[in-house]
Amino acid sequence: PRQDAQAFWGSGFPLFMCAMAFSRAVLARQASPVRAWSILPRAGLHVGRRCSSTSGDQAEFTIHPYRDRPELGFERSSEFCMVTLRHPDLVNATRNRQLEMYRTKYSDRVVYVDALFKKYDKTCTGFLNADELRGALSSIRVPSTEFRVSELLQRHGPISLEEFRNVVTEAWGRAREVDFSCDLAEMHAGMAGHFPLNHCRAILFVGRASPVHWTLRSLRHIWPAALVNVQVMRNTSENPNLDPALMEVCMKTYARSGIPGLLTTLDLAIAAAKHSPTAKGGFCVRLVPVADGGKNAARGEEMLVPLRGLPENRSVGLVTQLKARFWGH
């Protein structure tokens, strides 16, 4: 009997069964990943330290270098980083409700831009002169230097509402289609020190070699509400309560990163994976939303959302690797 028991435990079959149980629990969403992880320690496996809270009622951005997983259906090469968002309004929403939130977001953005134009068209001519244009651009954190304003006026003449919409679109980016998935957890399952991507998440892809400040557009697009401003912040010390007084601005629209060596989206993903969002050197995203559906060109209350980095994901799932090792296929 002892030899039979040793052969059984040495075969790897118990490890395979634990992995299968974990995979079924996460993919079928019969238990949260936190509860699913509790299966593994009892099998004597080492579980890495989880680096941040993952409760479903909190928002979180993540970024990591992506390797294609055919079963997810994204069909992306290894030239991209994946940006995800866990948001309380998205977690349990139906697909139709998720899509409706993003349609409303872009509708609110148009309303806000139109209200902003009306607010700064103080002469009521239907056009913005140099001073009016400078004020409008400054209010949405778009560069409003003399050179920039002169360039726009030389290109367009006095700025009409339609031209102002184009200027804002140039700064904020065009609307992008967002993917959704509840099946991302296995990509990083078992990686020490990094908790998997649990819950339903919104997803966008950014080129690894893209300038780092282009990531701001992805953060803006993936958030399910219209935003006036987006900035990436970095902690200057340990910051368990995400106190903005203990942060510095790392990236803002049209500005390169103030951190040496942080030039591309891949650089940001690697740097974010080294520190949790509450640690010194960790990252958060400052969001300034549009208030009242944009009707009054008013801003809402600022928010700080953690930006968690993860290592490059596995291209083949954990269960697939175990099956290949122990069963030869």
Side-chain angles (χ1 to χ4, degrees), residues 167-201:
V167 169
V168 174
T169 298
E170 181 182 334
W172 290 355
R174 298 184 182 278
R176 290 185 58 185
E177 184 176 348
V178 176
D179 289 315
F180 304 92
S181 179
C182 301
D183 301 321
L184 304 178
E186 193 185 344
M187 287 196 300
H188 296 92
M191 287 191 179
H194 297 280
F195 197 80
L197 297 174
N198 61 337
H199 299 291
C200 186
R201 291 175 178 262

Side-chain angles (χ1 to χ4, degrees), residues 43 107 248 285 287:
S107 175
E248 61 182 356
V285 183
L287 306 174

